[in-house]
Amino acid sequence: MSYSMLVVEDNEVVGELVSLLFKTLGFEVDVIANGSRVIPYLEAKTPDVMILDLDLPGMTGDKVFGAIRADQRLKDLIVIPFTAYRDDRTPGTLPSNLIWAEYTKSGKIPNIVFKTDDENAKRDVNQRLVDEVAYRLNESGKPITKEMAAYYLKTRGVAPGDIFKSLAVD
């Protein structure tokens, strides 16, 4: 099983690192660095999963997120918000407009994975991204990739059938 992923990230290094991580986990990955290029991309190709930076040039991630959720054709697209910023207007808070848009559409509050500049915490961020993708695939009734299953076995000693019990993602 292979999935396609779109990584929307304006920081070239971060975009390439996330791309490399998920390529090793069995995903076909495209990277876009400008928010205004996302909707035209999605008109031509719909990935299985999108990791979406919220602070983007061209069109901010929350606007991209809102456009995706407003498009019935994209209702099943798994979107994982990914940002280093809590909120530009109110430091320390979550992007409330994104949260409200998702809650209004799906009745769920989105899980946002926060980036970090702390070298010691970057591995944890990668793990949280992998966990969120695995959890969202499972929640959508899709199996994880064999590479993801091997990754969990190697890094956590967890058999593929027990992955979601061990994640305990709320």
Side-chain angles (χ1 to χ4, degrees):
M1 168 61 51
S2 179
Y3 295 108
S4 60
M5 175 181 281
L6 176 61
V7 175
V8 185
E9 172 59 64
D10 62 322
N11 181 311
E12 187 176 336
V13 172
V14 172
E16 286 306 311
L17 289 173
V18 171
S19 173
L20 179 62
L21 171 65
F22 282 97
K23 282 179 181 178
T24 64
L25 294 174
F27 288 76
E28 296 172 15
V29 182
D30 289 330
V31 179
I32 293 178
N34 187 302
S36 63
R37 295 187 182 129
V38 175
I39 302 305
Y41 174 96
L42 294 175
E43 289 171 356
K45 180 179 179 182
T46 304
D48 297 296
V49 179
M50 178 189 305
I51 295 180
L52 177 64
D53 184 9
L54 298 180
D55 186 35
L56 294 166
M59 184 179 192
T60 60
D62 60 322
K63 300 279 190 241
V64 171
F65 191 89
I68 290 168
R69 289 301 181 238
D71 187 337
Q72 184 62 24
R73 187 180 59 84
L74 301 172
K75 68 180 175 65
D76 294 328
L77 175 59
I78 296 170
V79 180
I80 298 168
F82 185 55
T83 189
Y85 304 101
R86 303 285 195 216
D87 189 311
D88 290 335
R89 296 168 303 276
T90 312
T93 63
L94 296 174
S96 57
N97 50 350
L98 178 140
I99 291 171
W100 182 249
E102 178 64 2
Y103 182 76
T104 301
K105 185 76 174 175
S106 70
K108 297 179 182 176
I109 295 176
N111 289 328
I112 299 173
V113 178
F114 290 98
K115 303 177 216 174
T116 181
D117 289 330
D118 180 351
E119 289 300 321
N120 297 324
K122 283 187 180 178
R123 183 169 181 244
D124 291 339
V125 171
N126 289 343
Q127 184 66 60
R128 287 191 356 251
L129 265 178
V130 173
D131 286 352
E132 188 63 26
V133 169
Y135 177 74
R136 298 287 299 277
L137 285 171
N138 182 65
E139 186 178 59
S140 298
K142 299 175 182 175
I144 63 172
T145 64
K146 65 182 181 186
E147 294 87 352
M148 289 179 93
Y151 169 83
Y152 279 106
L153 226 98
K154 181 179 178 182
T155 62
R156 294 194 180 172
V158 177
D162 296 330
I163 288 171
F164 302 103
K165 293 177 198 169
S166 72
L167 288 179
V169 178
D170 295 324

